[in-house]
């Protein structure tokens, strides 16, 4: 049985109550899929769910997703390629395509567009279901613009 805050994807972080929106976008920066977690959860928790549903041959992500067991190995097993820069503390950092990694700005651009909607930026909805529906609605407006 889940606690109410866990079920509603509301977590406590240093800034107060928060929710993380995990998203995948296509090569043009259009939203493809979303997943919500509590604010204090690791980025990899949402990535595992989104990667399992992904059909893209290549994944661009930032340093937070540099994890062999949870991210890179499942991608390689599915026939994909990970373009993820390594963390500073890695003993043997893998190579990545620096020029292709520059296209990761499309994800950040999408989040900037999504946070133009006040209800998304401040999370007015109490339930995770309604908040996710608002994200889908705002993402459809972003997709059409």
């Amino acid at each position: 049985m889940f606690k109410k805050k866990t079920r509603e994807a509301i977590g406590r972080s240093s800034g107060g109550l928060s929710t993380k929106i995990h998203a995948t976008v296509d090569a043009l920066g259009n939203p493809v899929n979303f997943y919500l977690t509590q604010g204090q959860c690791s980025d990899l928790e949402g990535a595992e769910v989104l990667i399992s549903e992904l059909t893209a041959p290549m994944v661009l992500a930032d340093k937070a997703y540099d994890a062999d067991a949870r991210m890179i190995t499942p991608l390689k097993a599915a026939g994909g390629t990970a373009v993820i820069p390594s963390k500073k503390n890695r003993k043997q950092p893998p190579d990545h395509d620096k020029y292709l990694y520059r296209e990761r700005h499309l994800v950040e651009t999408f989040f900037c567009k999504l946070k133009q909607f006040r209800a998304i930026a401040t999370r007015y909805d109490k339930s995770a279901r309604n908040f996710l529906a608002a994200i889908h609605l705002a993402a459809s407006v972003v997709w059409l613009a």
Side-chain angles (χ1 to χ4, degrees), residues 98-115:
K98 292 180 175 129
Y99 295 103
L100 187 59
Y101 181 71
R102 290 180 182 178
E103 297 302 314
R104 200 189 69 78
H105 74 89
L106 294 169
V107 177
E108 302 300 330
T109 304
F110 166 70
F111 275 110
C112 287
K113 290 177 184 176
L114 188 66
K115 291 196 175 184

Side-chain angles (χ1 to χ4, degrees), residues 5-133:
K5 288 184 179 179
T6 305
R7 190 174 57 232
E8 300 304 334
I10 297 174
R12 189 164 294 280
S13 62
S14 60
L17 297 176
S18 62
T19 300
K20 277 189 185 176
I21 303 170
H22 303 274
T24 54
V25 299
D26 63 7
L28 299 174
N30 296 322
V32 177
N33 203 353
F34 299 101
Y35 187 71
L36 297 176
T37 59
Q38 295 178 342
Q40 76 270 14
C41 291
S42 168
D43 290 340
L44 291 170
E45 289 187 29
E48 288 176 332
V49 173
L50 293 175
I51 289 297
S52 66
E53 301 171 3
L54 199 62
T55 59
M58 203 165 288
V59 174
L60 282 67
D62 62 356
K63 290 181 181 183
Y65 298 96
D66 182 28
D68 287 328
R70 294 176 82 179
M71 187 76 173
I72 296 171
T73 305
L75 273 174
K76 287 183 180 178
T81 305
V83 181
I84 302 172
S86 60
K87 294 181 180 179
K88 289 182 182 180
N89 63 353
R90 284 200 54 138
K91 304 251 187 231
Q92 298 174 345
D95 292 330
H96 71 282
D97 188 351
K98 292 180 175 129
Y99 295 103
L100 187 59
Y101 181 71
R102 290 180 182 178
E103 297 302 314
R104 200 189 69 78
H105 74 89
L106 294 169
V107 177
E108 302 300 330
T109 304
F110 166 70
F111 275 110
C112 287
K113 290 177 184 176
L114 188 66
K115 291 196 175 184
Q116 293 297 316
F117 296 89
R118 188 173 176 198
I120 305 300
T122 57
R123 184 167 176 174
Y124 287 148
D125 298 310
K126 184 173 182 179
S127 70
R129 181 192 59 187
N130 291 349
F131 184 55
L132 190 59

